[in-house]
């Protein structure tokens, strides 16, 4: 039978919750995506907690919270320890996304679900792959090959291809077929008839206007606002779709020579743009070619200023355009700016993606929008007075307890290291084998040491009286002298260690100064919160810059790919059912839309068997060299070995003759030059190659239809049987290998 494939949704089916799915291929468990929402709701991770320990590998598709946000928590609390695979941009930008999430929440709450150390630890397990790079799994996953392919949507975004025994399982969610300013479109359309396709229904009911129309409306709304003296707030993600917005505004401001300041405000804004500058090869062809020809980096920003705190923004007078994280308005700079600007009718809040369910952004996007909203304003302030004294006293108590524990542990280690033998030559040690003159002397001797013990001192069990221990630490020596430990000569600074861990260790020194200051800030502080009612008088607009294919395009792509079995995930119940019914009629008869934690079996109906080539058969085979490979024609019969394994054996009777098979491919332009070098008059005409006076060579068939990566085409040689015909046929055959 075919490769065994089971799919179990852990989150993100029949709703718009984060994405997380367990895909089992012949018993090897892939966790594909490990997302979380901006509420960091731990109840969403309960299904994951039940299977985390059985996961063999994790595949990440996009560098945003919805696709990888739960990774640090899952590795810290849920027992997830499998290796992680992602592209380089997903790894780098995903790390920045999690840093920004942590820093944004730490400023307004006692956030303790994960720390910066947990983020670092989780991302240390990531193996980075390039697009189309085949990675061969080992051990339990022997025979499985994974490869990341272009998905569009976000920088480094991935469509995963998992191959086993020639059958492809494709995971393609949040893809975009359109070329954008900074990204190429997905390669999903290049697949034909995969065994299983897992995709989403998130945009199944949405249709988009043209990019030109959308961009014009977007820019006109911003210009109109700043022209009347208003501010524009764009709540954005940390390092995803914000890159497309940055290029859109940068190009428009440059072309129109506008002077209104634009800011990108997040805790890691500088790092985000630095990485974008270094990832040009992952971007659109136009950006790569522009850099190759003119050395002009598209992300060398001249009109947009990068900010890491609000203080610089407050000093800028007049109207301004600000892209601020987070897109959900639940935390971060965007939340604070909305509260400040919402009451002014001249201002505009422009949403470029649908808000997550239950967030402030989603509430404001409702129709009609609310006239007032309740928000929680929180800020972290230093401790003073009695609170500071109480905090310091508590910290001192904790330090004393830790020091006492360390002392007890050290004493236990010292006791264990004391030998049983007593060195009698040492005057500090009393030999119990020596007899004493009298019992009274012994009593005096014992009494003399009665009150010598002090608190915390434990005499070794081998001594008969209190003694202060002395240990001769023997040093190791080698050919060059005493072996030293370099760490003994390093002056350590706890703060610098902490900074280097997060700067040099994982971000290669690209952590923003503001973020570094937050990490190093050890000033005792507390969070103060207050409830506010904000009057929403500013304008609210939504423009679709999500970078996903719309419903019409999704249906067209699925019909072209025509998978044998289709699994639909992530989308509202209405969108999921709509796409399911459409695909049952127009795509394939096997369409599945599983519920949460429902395991569906999508094992291929194709039969594949593993067979051994017997040594007796191989000794009779004649191989021919074909490039880097060797090929041969086999005539054999199927038998079984002693271990009941299928094996190919030599035929018991003479093999029947077979037609000659020509292996290889040829480019008509190359063959034209070859014939010309042989003195044959040749030219292209009417889509064919005219050779000499009477002979014509043409390719027939569909070049777009492929099997195993090769186009299905035939070469037709036409003309009267003549010396010229046979001569040209001989030249043609010389470009192939015959079997």
């Amino acid at each position: 039978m075919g490769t065994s494939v089971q799919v179990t949704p852990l989150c993100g089916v029949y709703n718009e919750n984060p994405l997380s799915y367990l895909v089992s291929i012949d018993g090897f468990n892939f966790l594909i995506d490990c997302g979380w929402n901006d509420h960091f709701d731990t109840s969403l991770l309960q299904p994951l907690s039940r299977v985390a320990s059985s996961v063999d590998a994790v595949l990440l598709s996009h560098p945003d919270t919805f696709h990888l946000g739960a990774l640090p928590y899952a590795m810290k609390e849920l027992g997830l320890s499998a290796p992680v695979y992602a592209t380089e941009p997903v790894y780098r930008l995903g790390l920045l996304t999690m840093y920004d999430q942590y820093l944004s929440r730490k400023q307004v709450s006692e956030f303790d679900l994960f720390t910066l150390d947990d983020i670092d630890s989780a991302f240390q397990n990531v193996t980075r792959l390039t697009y189309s790079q085949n990675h061969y799994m080992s051990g339990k996953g022997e025979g499985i090959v994974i490869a990341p392919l272009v998905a569009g949507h976000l920088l480094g975004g991935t469509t995963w291809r998992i191959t086993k025994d020639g059958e492809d399982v494709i995971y393609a969610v949040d893809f975009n077929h359109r070329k954008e300013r900074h990204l190429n479109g997905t390669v999903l359309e290049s697949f034909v008839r995969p065994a299983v396709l897992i995709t989403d229904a998130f945009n199944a009911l949405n249709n988009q206007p043209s990019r030109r129309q959308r961009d014009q409306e977007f820019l006109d709304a911003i210009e109109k606002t700043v022209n009347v003296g208003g501010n524009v707030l764009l709540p954005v993600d940390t390092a995803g779709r914000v890159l497309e917005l940055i290029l859109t505004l940068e190009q428009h401001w440059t072309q129109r020579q506008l002077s209104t300041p634009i800011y990108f405000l997040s805790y890691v804004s500088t790092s985000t743009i630095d990485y974008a500058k270094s990832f040009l090869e992952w971007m659109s062809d136009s950006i790569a070619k522009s850099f190759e020809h003119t050395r002009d980096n598209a992300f060398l920003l001249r009109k947009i200023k990068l900010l890491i705190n609000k203080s610089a923004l407050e000093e800028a007078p007049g109207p301004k355009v600000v892209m601020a994280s987070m897109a959900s308005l639940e935390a971060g700079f965007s939340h604070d700016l909305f509260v400040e600007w919402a009451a002014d009718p001249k201002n505009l809040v422009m949403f470029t993606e649908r808000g997550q369910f239950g967030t402030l952004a989603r509430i404001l996007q409702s129709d009609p929008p609310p006239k007032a909203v309740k928000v929680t304003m929180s800020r972290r302030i230093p401790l003073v007075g009695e609170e500071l004294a109480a905090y310091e006293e508590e910290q001192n108590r904790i330090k004393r307890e830790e020091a006492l524990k360390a002392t007890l542990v050290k004493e236990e280690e010292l006791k264990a290291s004391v030998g049983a033998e007593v060195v009698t030559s040492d005057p500090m040690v009393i030999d119990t084998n020596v007899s004493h003159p009298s019992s009274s002397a012994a009593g005096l001797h014992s009494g003399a040491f009665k009150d010598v013990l002090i608190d915390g001192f434990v005499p070794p069990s081998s001594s008969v009286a209190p003694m202060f221990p002395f240990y001769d630490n023997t040093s190791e020596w080698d050919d060059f002298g005493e072996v030293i430990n370099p760490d003994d000569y390093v002056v350590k600074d706890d703060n610098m260690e902490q900074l280097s861990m997060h700067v040099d260790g994982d971000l290669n020194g690209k952590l923003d100064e503001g973020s570094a200051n937050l990490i190093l800030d050890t000033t005792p502080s507390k969070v103060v919160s207050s409830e506010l009612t904000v009057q929403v008088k500013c304008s609210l607009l939504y423009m679709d810059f999500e970078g996903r294919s719309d419903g019409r395009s999704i249906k067209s792509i699925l019909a072209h790919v025509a998978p044998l079995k289709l699994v639909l995930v992530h989308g509202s119940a209405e969108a999921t059912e709509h796409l399911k019914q459409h695909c049952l009629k127009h795509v394939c008869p096997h369409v599945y839309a599983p519920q949460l934690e429902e395991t569906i079996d999508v094992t291929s109906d194709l039969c594949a068997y593993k067979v051994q080539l017997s040594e007796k058969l191989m000794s009779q085979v004649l191989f021919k060299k074909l490039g880097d490979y060797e090929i041969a024609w086999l005539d054999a019969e199927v038998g079984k070995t002693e271990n009941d394994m299928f094996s190919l054996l030599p035929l018991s009777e003479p093999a029947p003759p077979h037609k000659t098979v020509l292996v290889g491919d040829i480019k008509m332009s190359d063959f034209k030059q070859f014939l010309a070098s042989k003195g044959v008059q040749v030219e292209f005409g009417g889509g064919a190659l005219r050779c000499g006076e009477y002979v014509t060579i043409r390719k027939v068939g569909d070049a777009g239809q492929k099997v195993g990566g090769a186009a299905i085409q035939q070469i037709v040689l036409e003309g009267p049987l003549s010396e010229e015909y046979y001569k040209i046929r001989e030249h043609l055959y010389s470009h192939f290998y015959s079997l």
Side-chain angles (χ1 to χ4, degrees):
M1 61 182 298
T3 301
S4 173
V5 181
Q6 289 83 35
V7 179
T8 306
L10 303 177
C11 190
V13 285
Y14 281 98
N15 54 44
E16 298 178 4
N17 284 338
L19 296 85
S20 183
Y21 311 100
L22 187 70
V23 178
S24 178
I25 298 181
D26 279 349
F28 189 88
N29 295 326
F30 287 99
L31 175 63
I32 309 185
D33 284 333
C34 188
W36 216 351
N37 60 11
D38 277 10
H39 288 301
F40 290 99
D41 182 3
T42 55
S43 64
L44 294 176
L45 304 184
Q46 290 180 2
L48 174 59
S49 66
R50 289 188 273 271
V51 300
S53 60
S54 65
V55 172
D56 298 303
V58 181
L59 307 181
L60 302 178
S61 61
H62 294 284
D64 61 353
T65 311
F66 244 46
H67 294 85
L68 55 72
L71 188 64
Y73 181 84
M75 289 195 166
K76 174 187 178 184
E77 301 290 348
L78 305 184
L80 181 64
S81 59
V84 184
Y85 299 90
T87 60
E88 184 73 21
V90 169
Y91 164 72
R92 294 292 180 184
L93 301 181
L95 187 64
L96 290 180
T97 297
M98 297 311 299
Y99 264 77
D100 196 27
Q101 288 280 10
Y102 175 82
L103 294 172
S104 296
R105 277 156 178 76
K106 199 63 178 177
Q107 293 305 299
V108 296
S109 66
E110 301 298 341
F111 187 78
D112 60 355
L113 292 176
F114 53 83
T115 65
L116 296 173
D117 291 337
D118 298 327
I119 298 173
D120 291 339
S121 177
F123 280 82
Q124 283 175 357
N125 295 329
V126 177
T127 298
R128 281 96 83 184
L129 305 176
T130 59
Y131 280 146
S132 301
Q133 176 186 347
N134 288 329
H135 181 83
Y136 296 85
M137 310 302 290
S138 58
K140 183 180 176 183
E142 186 73 31
I144 299 177
V145 183
I146 62 174
L149 304 167
V150 179
H153 183 51
L154 300 181
L155 182 57
T158 302
T159 291
W160 283 102
R161 181 184 66 205
I162 308 172
T163 305
K164 177 74 181 290
D165 294 335
E167 296 184 13
D168 290 336
V169 176
I170 308 299
Y171 176 81
V173 299
D174 293 332
F175 58 84
N176 189 13
H177 70 288
R178 293 185 179 185
K179 285 188 176 181
E180 298 186 285
R181 286 177 173 83
H182 83 296
L183 292 177
N184 287 325
T186 182
V187 299
L188 179 59
E189 293 174 279
S190 65
F191 294 105
V192 178
R193 306 290 287 172
V196 180
L197 172 62
I198 304 170
T199 190
D200 67 305
F202 189 76
N203 250 12
L205 297 176
N206 295 343
N207 290 319
Q208 301 168 339
S210 66
R211 195 182 94 176
R212 178 176 297 181
Q213 177 185 347
R214 178 202 65 184
D215 290 357
Q216 192 60 51
E217 293 176 356
F218 170 74
L219 296 169
D220 287 347
I222 292 177
E223 282 197 58
K224 180 180 178 181
T225 300
V226 297
N227 287 340
V228 297
N231 297 320
V232 179
L233 171 62
L234 295 166
V236 296
D237 53 16
T238 301
R241 294 302 302 169
V242 66
L243 299 178
E244 182 73 10
L245 295 174
I246 285 174
L247 287 187
T248 301
L249 293 172
E250 177 76 15
Q251 293 175 8
H252 184 73
W253 251 242
T254 301
Q255 292 171 0
R256 297 286 299 273
Q257 294 295 313
L258 300 177
S259 58
T260 304
I262 309 177
Y263 301 97
F264 175 32
L265 175 62
S266 84
Y267 287 110
V268 291
S269 59
T270 306
S271 300
T272 299
I273 300 305
D274 284 345
Y275 279 132
K277 291 176 184 176
S278 65
F279 287 146
L280 300 185
E281 72 274 16
W282 296 84
M283 297 186 185
S284 64
D285 295 336
S286 58
I287 285 181
K289 289 179 180 178
S290 175
F291 181 76
E292 182 179 346
H293 295 153
T294 65
R295 313 308 291 177
D296 181 26
N297 193 314
F299 284 91
L300 187 61
L301 305 178
R302 298 174 177 84
K303 296 294 184 177
I304 299 177
K305 299 177 182 178
L306 309 179
L307 300 181
I308 55 179
N309 56 63
K310 278 178 56 183
S311 59
L313 186 65
E314 295 168 351
E315 297 172 0
K320 57 186 74 70
V321 180
V322 180
M323 293 171 284
S325 63
M326 304 285 174
S328 64
L329 293 179
E330 286 299 298
F333 295 117
S334 63
H335 176 274
D336 297 343
L337 289 176
F338 169 76
V339 173
E340 293 179 19
W341 293 357
D344 191 340
K346 293 186 296 182
N347 295 335
L348 168 66
V349 177
M350 174 80 77
F351 297 101
T352 57
E353 61 181 66
R354 276 168 285 180
Q356 299 176 23
F357 183 77
T359 62
L360 178 58
R362 188 64 166 261
I363 294 172
L364 294 172
Q365 291 173 20
S366 59
D367 188 17
K371 296 182 178 180
V373 292
K374 289 185 177 181
V375 299
T376 301
M377 287 297 295
S378 302
R379 59 193 181 98
R380 187 171 290 277
I381 60 174
L383 296 180
V384 294
E386 295 181 357
E387 290 182 327
L388 178 60
Y391 172 84
E392 291 176 344
E393 183 179 351
E394 177 66 15
Q395 293 300 307
N396 291 333
R397 185 188 64 79
I398 294 174
K399 288 181 179 179
R400 287 195 301 269
E401 290 181 355
E402 291 177 350
L404 180 59
K405 290 180 181 179
T407 301
L408 294 176
V409 170
K410 188 173 182 180
E411 289 176 352
E412 290 297 327
E413 292 175 352
L414 293 176
K415 286 174 62 178
S417 65
V418 174
E421 296 183 1
V422 179
V423 183
T424 55
S425 59
D426 191 338
M428 292 294 294
V429 179
I430 300 176
D431 190 352
T432 57
N433 295 324
V434 178
S435 59
H436 299 284
S438 64
S439 59
S440 61
L444 179 62
H445 181 273
S446 177
F449 292 96
K450 185 175 181 180
D451 299 323
V452 172
L453 291 178
I454 62 174
D455 184 34
F457 178 79
V458 179
S461 58
S462 58
S463 64
V464 297
M467 55 172 283
F468 291 97
F470 170 77
Y471 306 102
D472 185 10
N473 295 324
T474 58
S475 302
E476 296 183 9
W477 293 75
D478 57 17
D479 294 340
F480 301 96
E482 182 180 351
V483 177
I484 65 171
N485 182 8
D487 293 339
D488 295 340
Y489 299 89
V490 176
V491 178
K492 295 184 179 181
D493 188 317
D494 292 340
N495 286 340
M496 292 307 298
E497 279 188 354
Q498 190 178 19
L499 176 62
S500 63
M501 177 174 57
H502 299 295
V503 177
D504 301 328
D506 290 282
L507 294 178
N508 294 336
K510 289 188 176 180
L511 189 63
D512 298 283
E513 179 185 355
S515 304
N517 289 337
L518 286 174
I519 295 173
L520 293 177
D521 187 7
T522 57
T523 304
S525 60
K526 67 176 181 179
V527 175
V528 178
S529 301
S530 59
E531 296 286 338
L532 295 178
T533 299
V534 177
Q535 300 298 320
V536 183
K537 298 180 180 179
C538 64
S539 300
L540 301 172
L541 282 179
Y542 168 71
M543 294 283 181
D544 187 354
F545 273 83
E546 292 180 349
R548 295 183 176 96
S549 293
D550 62 1
R552 182 173 57 250
S553 301
I554 291 172
K555 296 170 185 175
S556 175
I557 292 171
L558 293 181
H560 174 78
V561 175
L564 299 179
K565 295 187 178 182
L566 176 64
V567 181
L568 298 178
V569 297
H570 195 235
S572 65
E574 183 183 3
T576 302
E577 284 300 322
H578 171 81
L579 188 58
K580 179 180 179 180
Q581 296 304 319
H582 171 86
C583 291
L584 284 171
K585 292 180 180 179
H586 304 287
V587 178
C588 68
H590 303 289
V591 181
Y592 305 87
Q595 298 287 344
L596 188 67
E597 292 192 273
E598 176 190 357
T599 299
I600 57 170
D601 191 333
V602 286
T603 300
S604 172
D605 297 328
L606 300 176
C607 293
Y609 300 92
K610 291 183 179 181
V611 296
Q612 293 179 345
L613 299 178
S614 65
E615 294 183 4
K616 188 175 181 181
L617 176 67
M618 294 300 294
S619 64
Q620 302 175 9
V621 174
L622 298 177
F623 284 95
K624 291 186 178 181
K625 189 76 173 177
L626 176 61
D628 295 333
Y629 303 93
E630 291 184 344
I631 60 174
W633 179 277
L634 279 179
D635 288 298
E637 60 186 25
V638 178
K640 283 191 174 182
T641 65
E642 296 177 355
N643 299 327
D644 284 338
M645 291 284 294
F646 287 111
S647 177
L648 292 183
L649 306 172
L651 294 176
S652 56
E653 300 179 358
H658 67 271
K659 293 182 179 180
T660 300
V661 177
L662 300 179
V663 181
D665 195 9
I666 187 173
K667 290 184 178 179
M668 299 296 277
S669 58
D670 294 342
F671 189 56
K672 174 179 179 292
Q673 295 179 1
F674 175 78
L675 290 178
S677 67
K678 297 296 183 180
V680 179
Q681 185 178 357
V682 59
E683 63 179 4
F684 278 113
L689 196 62
R690 296 179 180 176
C691 310
E693 201 169 340
Y694 305 108
V695 180
T696 301
I697 301 175
R698 71 178 73 247
K699 281 188 174 183
V700 296
D702 185 3
Q705 187 177 2
K706 297 184 177 182
V707 173
I712 303 176
Q713 288 185 296
Q714 292 180 334
I715 296 179
V716 178
L717 183 65
E718 300 173 333
L721 298 179
S722 61
E723 182 180 351
E724 183 181 56
Y725 177 89
Y726 288 111
K727 181 181 179 181
I728 293 175
R729 189 182 73 169
E730 184 180 351
H731 289 321
L732 180 62
Y733 284 177
S734 69
H735 281 68
F736 291 88
Y737 295 85
S738 61
L739 296 175

